[in-house]
Amino acid sequence: MTVQYLHSPTSPRVLMAAACLAVATAAGAQPGAYPSKPIQIIAQQPPGSGSDAMTRVWADCAARELGQAVVVQNKPGANGILAVNYLKAQPADGYSLMSIGMSQMSITPYVYRQQPYDPLRDFDGVSVLGTSPLVLAVPAGQGITRLADLEKLARATPGGLNFGSPGKGSPAHLLTTALMDRMGVPATHVPFVGEGAGLTALMGQQIHAMTLVIGTATAQVKAGKLVPLALFAAQRSPQLPDVPTIAEALPAAGDLARPSWIAVVARAGTPLDLLNKLNAVTDKCRSDAQYKTRLETMNVTLTGSTPGDALAWATRDAAVWRPLIDKLGLATE
């Protein structure tokens, strides 16, 4: 039998057909428009914490804007280090994000002599969501209504005060340690895994004091379970108008008026166009009535930002916190 080829395998028509097939195959292999699958956002505090609540508000709004699920994954422990390590193990493809606070961006890396991560090297910013003041509180029913009362208690208690925080290197840890130093009283830091666990211990009078996000503190103050002593802010809060600022309560500690903040970041190397898209989504959320109401109920002041602001804010605050960490000798192995 004789087989006749209509066209030589190397004819121009065959080559053109092969080229078209290759182009079509390559086009079909291109990923769909971002996002084409669910996004995970890692929360570095446990469920029920203020940070977790803010993360879920952002995730809900971002999911509506993106038309794709945004799933919160809680990875608490070591004041965010476990969550950071988890993020660093994910692809830099925009499908793994992390909500992160001032603590993890500008304090935690520097309270260890062997720096566990570098925020400027390991993260790309998406957006700064907002700021929230912190308030020093004590259990109700102990006769302590002013910072001066707490100072007297510290001097009268063998070994001094025990104060809690959501973890080593948290703003609550650093601010309270600095405050005790300014008052010149002995105190011992008791770290907890998240704010909720510390709050439970505080209300159970297992610790003497704790610095809390104002949204967490306000609910318990109104319930009569906590007494607020000082606000780490430059101005009094409408939520707790009778609570003095730290400068009013102790003028020598006025420089400790520093609000906490929370941001969304991605792993370093995430494409800029994806960061910009996520930043634009956050901008839209700031105009969303439900989003605004939920965060403002938590006493979060919303702020506009660019993708680069999270790292810029980290650099700005680290310039304040690192010298304080060194002065107080807080860095450990």
Side-chain angles (χ1 to χ4, degrees):
M1 177 183 295
T2 302
V3 179
Q4 292 184 331
Y5 290 94
L6 296 177
H7 303 286
S8 167
T10 57
S11 71
R13 292 181 65 179
V14 171
L15 292 175
M16 182 174 291
C20 290
L21 178 62
V23 169
T25 302
Q30 293 296 313
Y34 173 85
S36 60
K37 63 180 181 180
I39 295 170
Q40 67 168 337
I41 181 165
I42 305 152
Q44 38 79 26
Q45 293 291 328
S49 64
S51 174
D52 171 77
M54 286 183 267
T55 303
R56 292 178 186 277
V57 172
W58 184 87
D60 288 347
C61 185
R64 291 195 301 271
E65 294 294 337
L66 291 168
Q68 187 62 259
V70 180
V71 181
V72 178
Q73 300 280 0
N74 293 90
K75 300 290 182 182
N79 195 38
I81 296 176
L82 295 183
V84 170
N85 288 339
Y86 180 81
L87 175 66
K88 289 169 62 178
Q90 307 306 306
D93 58 3
Y95 288 98
S96 293
L97 309 173
M98 179 177 172
S99 62
I100 196 162
M102 175 181 69
S103 172
Q104 293 77 32
M105 291 296 279
S106 58
I107 298 175
T108 301
Y110 312 113
V111 294
Y112 297 90
R113 293 193 180 95
Q114 296 295 323
Q115 191 172 330
Y117 60 91
D118 183 342
L120 303 184
R121 184 189 64 222
D122 293 331
F123 305 136
D124 282 332
V126 170
S127 183
V128 177
L129 303 186
T131 64
S132 183
L134 296 158
V135 59
L136 179 71
V138 297
Q142 296 188 315
I144 299 174
T145 59
R146 301 178 303 149
L147 192 59
D149 297 331
L150 186 65
E151 182 178 344
K152 290 179 183 177
L153 177 64
R155 298 189 188 283
T157 302
L161 300 176
N162 292 323
F163 69 90
S165 86
K168 176 183 174 181
S170 63
H173 172 204
L174 198 57
L175 286 171
T176 315
T177 300
L179 178 59
M180 298 300 157
D181 179 69
R182 303 291 169 83
M183 291 195 298
V185 298
T188 300
H189 174 228
V190 182
F192 292 89
V193 180
E195 189 178 54
L199 176 64
T200 300
L202 180 65
M203 293 190 297
Q205 300 185 17
Q206 298 168 1
I207 53 177
H208 295 105
M210 184 168 173
T211 296
L212 301 162
V213 174
I214 191 171
T216 302
T218 299
Q220 303 306 327
V221 169
K222 291 181 177 179
K225 297 180 180 180
L226 294 180
V227 177
L229 302 182
L231 190 73
F232 289 99
Q235 297 179 334
R236 293 195 181 198
S237 169
Q239 283 71 39
L240 297 172
D242 296 328
V243 179
T245 66
I246 189 63
E248 291 173 328
L250 185 69
D255 61 320
L256 300 180
R258 307 197 68 82
S260 65
W261 50 271
I262 188 168
V264 174
V265 298
R267 179 183 163 184
T270 299
L272 181 58
D273 61 325
L274 303 188
L275 300 175
N276 286 332
K277 181 167 186 175
L278 291 165
N279 180 266
V281 163
T282 308
D283 279 340
K284 289 182 180 179
C285 286
R286 274 188 283 273
S287 300
D288 181 271
Q290 182 181 1
Y291 178 87
K292 290 173 62 177
T293 299
R294 290 177 69 185
L295 285 181
E296 288 171 357
T297 299
M298 299 176 200
N299 299 290
V300 176
T301 300
L302 303 183
T303 180
S305 74
T306 67
D309 283 345
L311 300 188
W313 284 36
T315 301
R316 176 199 68 189
D317 285 356
V320 175
W321 296 123
R322 292 186 74 174
L324 187 57
I325 291 167
D326 292 340
K327 177 184 176 182
L328 298 176
L330 296 180
T332 60
E333 297 296 340

